[in-house]
């Protein structure tokens, strides 16, 4: 079974198991990420009140924590839900939106990472750089200056918190601190829409819900996400028609498309040979 | 005037009267339900602060209460708005999103039903089963196990709270506890999008705003909603292009389409003859 | 350089400078206005917690305050952010959604105007009339009765608060209390979608971020917004397909289209000659 066969199999597993993905996320992307959850094959639920999050997450396959429009009471709910998820072995995927842009965002993300065992952190180069203390400038929620060395920042962060870190950009890098997978799928149109990073996080969460190898799950999720964007691009006349085609493509994304189109490279091997060809 | 003529007339009445539909609803669907309100012919407003909800609802034709991302302060605002709506004879339509999934959701919905006189409850089979205490399992916001007998559950709930209950699914069932209307309009694409149940609730609310026979209004609203989905389906290449075509179809839905396409059956009559043919 | 050349130049300036537009806005339109910010060429961020808004706005080119789903704690955050914006000379654009519909909305908008120096107020005729105390009836968030004299109301409000007021409608009117620009771009489809007023506000904010002549920036923003709607209209089959085409058109809106299509008239000159032809 090639690497791409395994990605295709994992995408089908999401469809078959229909994991519930509990999101405590920002207001901007709730509708988008709920739809992306459905299109990739999961069931979405958004619930943020501290009275119910522990009960809700117990039924979930994965928990998304996304601080895009954070406030202290939502962070408290994230911690309650996250602790319960940790007790139950439910993977947590953290999207540190805007880490580095304000001290509240940086400190809240650090607190989540220090309090909870997170399975995957998915951020842009600026956010990951800020959390690792290794450069990068975040303006609002965009990395306007890249981390000095995104891979090094990701590896430091991954080792510090015993987690997988996915830095998304032109080439996505996914690492657990030692192994490194690079994902070359994606399309420029993704940058013209709000919340595509958040949606990538949602796809990763759906994959971690059905696969315990979180490094592989994160890379596979990003490959599927980026590949759907590539498949949709020819139908785009602009950002909004791209979005329609992209969501349609996520829904339809099929095993043969993944086998032919996923582009994941294992940078851990000295030869850096394409694992897709192994 | 046939039953379908009456549905067509009701849909036109919404367009002519442009009722304000005050929503206290969840973050995921606010944009969608505001647009659906406009497309069906009403005016949407979302307002949730307890300082203004009583004043806002006084100008409304109907009030939607939707607990999809509930928190205690929003429930308080729902009760304030709902009491004022009851005083003024403004119909309340309740969407008990996720009832059964957590105790907060179940108890909050029960509290709303016990405190307010609700015109229509619109939920899926799991939610209605949970509220009636008659089976059904809700995972997040989806019914993963149907109520043992959705119609029986709806009838029990309708009698208990002197309200109309609409259980949506492959066949929608609408009952006031004695009369039963079944709606066979709809399309599988609706299940691939978040918030379509919430949008159906919004259409029902717009219809109750202009028609005091809430059983009929609810069935007519669901028939129009489902028919628009059927009309849109041929243009769908996936969930997102379906959504675009669906919203366009709601906007354009015309009397002749309704007369030809609405499929409502009166199950109350022993012969169960199609009322559309009466 | 003609007036339309200047508008085209300003639209390009937004693309080149990519100003961060900090929104404290309503839940209904967050996703839409974030996308519109990106499509016009800016960077969006939504942040509402009082602990971070002062820090966030310091990086912004403009601040949008939109009270569409207001609550007292959000108003407090608006004031904190607004004061910091004033200190730093960052323009504030206020969207007084629903002013006149409830006393909370009217008083909150007045408080913002009395506490902060606002660069531009963008509202419909009912909202502007209500704030000026000169007629207009707002039902929910729609002007169901126009202000008696929208231009007079706008001028009174502009003089009272030393600001620019943009009243949008079939013909948009923009005034600083003495000069008056009218914008004739726009399309009927805009009225079939929620939040198009809010999105127009966002475009104005992006333009004020790069142009200190706020009267001109507001008129130029509205001309571009309305022109994109005109360019998109032929592809619309209904409101949702219009929205897709409209967002695509905002993204692509080019200098030659603006030079050919912007329709701004200077009503200040006695001859009311079209400035576009000057």
């Amino acid at each position: 079974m090639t690497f791409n066969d395994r990605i295709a199999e994992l995408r089908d597993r999401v469809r078959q198991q229909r994991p519930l993905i509990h999101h405590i996320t920002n207001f901007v992307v709730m509708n988008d990420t709920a739809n992306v959850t459905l299109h990739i094959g999961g069931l979405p639920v958004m619930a943020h009140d501290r009275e119910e999050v522990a009960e809700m997450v117990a039924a979930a396959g994965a928990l998304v924590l996304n601080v895009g429009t954070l406030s202290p009471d939502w962070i408290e709910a994230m911690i309650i839900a996250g602790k319960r998820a940790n007790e139950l072995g439910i993977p947590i995927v953290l999207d540190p939106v805007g880490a580095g842009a304000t001290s509240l965002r940086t400190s809240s993300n650090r607190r989540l990472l220090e309090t909870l065992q997170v399975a995957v952190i998915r951020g842009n180069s600026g956010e990951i750089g800020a959390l690792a203390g290794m450069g990068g400038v975040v303006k609002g929620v965009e990395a306007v200056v890249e981390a000095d060395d995104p891979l090094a920042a990701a590896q430091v962060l991954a080792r510090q918190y015993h987690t997988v870190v996915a830095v998304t950009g032109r080439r996505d890098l996914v690492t657990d601190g030692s192994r490194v997978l690079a994902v070359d799928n994606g399309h420029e149109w993704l940058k013209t829409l709000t919340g595509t990073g958040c949606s990538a996080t949602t796809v990763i969460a759906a994959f971690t819900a059905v696969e315990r190898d979180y490094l592989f799950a994160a890379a596979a999720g990003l490959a599927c996400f980026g590949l759907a964007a590539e498949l949709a691009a020819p139908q785009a006349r602009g950002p909004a028609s791209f979005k329609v085609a992209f969501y349609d493509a996520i829904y339809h994304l099929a095993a043969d498309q993944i086998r032919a189109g996923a582009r994941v490279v294992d940078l851990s091997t000295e030869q850096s040979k394409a694992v897709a060809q192994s």
Side-chain angles (χ1 to χ4, degrees), chain A:
Chain A
M1 197 181 229
T2 69
F3 200 79
N4 281 9
D5 286 337
R6 289 176 58 208
I7 298 175
E9 188 278 326
L10 187 48
R11 191 261 179 280
D12 281 342
R13 216 186 299 163
V14 174
R15 268 204 190 108
Q16 284 154 22
Q17 297 191 16
R18 302 217 75 188
L20 181 70
I21 311 302
H22 178 185
H23 289 71
I24 307 180
T25 189
N26 71 71
F27 301 120
V28 184
V29 303
M30 279 192 190
N31 190 273
D32 285 344
T33 53
N35 275 323
V36 166
T37 304
L38 284 167
H39 301 346
I40 200 69
L43 294 175
V45 72
M46 275 61 184
H48 66 280
D49 193 79
R50 62 183 80 184
E51 283 188 39
E52 73 166 348
V53 289
E55 193 178 354
M56 187 64 89
V57 78
L63 172 65
V64 171
L65 302 180
N66 175 313
V67 302
T69 53
L70 83 174
S71 57
D73 50 334
W74 284 58
I75 298 292
E76 292 311 314
M78 289 182 186
I79 286 173
I80 293 168
K83 284 184 175 170
R84 186 76 183 120
N86 278 172
E87 285 170 10
L88 298 169
I90 295 164
I92 300 172
V93 181
L94 173 67
D95 195 322
V97 183
T102 67
S103 51
L104 179 66
R105 287 177 189 241
T106 307
S107 65
S108 296
N109 281 300
R110 287 241 172 81
R111 186 168 162 227
L112 291 170
L113 286 168
E114 275 153 24
T115 312
L116 305 173
Q117 178 55 50
V118 166
V120 183
I121 307 170
R122 200 285 324 156
N124 63 38
S125 159
E127 290 157 352
I128 299 302
L131 285 178
M134 292 173 67
V137 175
V138 175
K139 190 171 164 188
V141 299
E142 292 277 334
V144 289
V145 176
E146 303 286 313
D148 304 329
D149 182 341
L151 178 55
Q155 285 176 310
V156 164
L157 201 61
R159 283 178 203 141
Q160 185 176 359
Y161 294 109
H162 304 94
T163 187
V164 168
V165 175
V167 199
T168 50
R170 185 176 294 271
R171 160 172 266 196
D172 303 328
L173 298 168
V174 187
T175 182
D176 59 6
S178 53
R179 290 169 62 202
V180 182
L181 298 177
V183 181
D184 288 319
N185 294 105
H187 198 281
E188 287 296 303
W189 280 121
L190 289 170
K191 291 165 63 178
T192 66
L193 289 170
T194 193
T196 49
C198 305
S199 293
T201 298
T202 286
V203 172
I204 290 173
F207 279 44
T208 63
V210 299
E211 168 58 51
R212 285 286 159 184
D213 179 348
Y214 299 143
L215 180 80
F216 171 61
L222 290 173
C224 289
F225 188 80
L227 177 57
E230 294 168 24
L231 294 168
Q235 294 154 66
R237 292 176 305 278
S241 51
F242 168 72
K243 184 176 175 180
V244 171
F246 177 45
Y247 280 31
D248 283 357
I250 293 174
Y251 178 82
H252 286 299
L253 191 67
D256 58 341
Q257 293 173 313
I258 294 169
R259 278 187 218 107
R263 286 179 288 145
V264 180
V265 180
D266 189 338
L267 300 183
S268 317
T269 59
E270 286 180 317
Q271 300 81 1
S272 292
K273 66 178 176 183
V275 289
Q277 301 171 336
S278 67

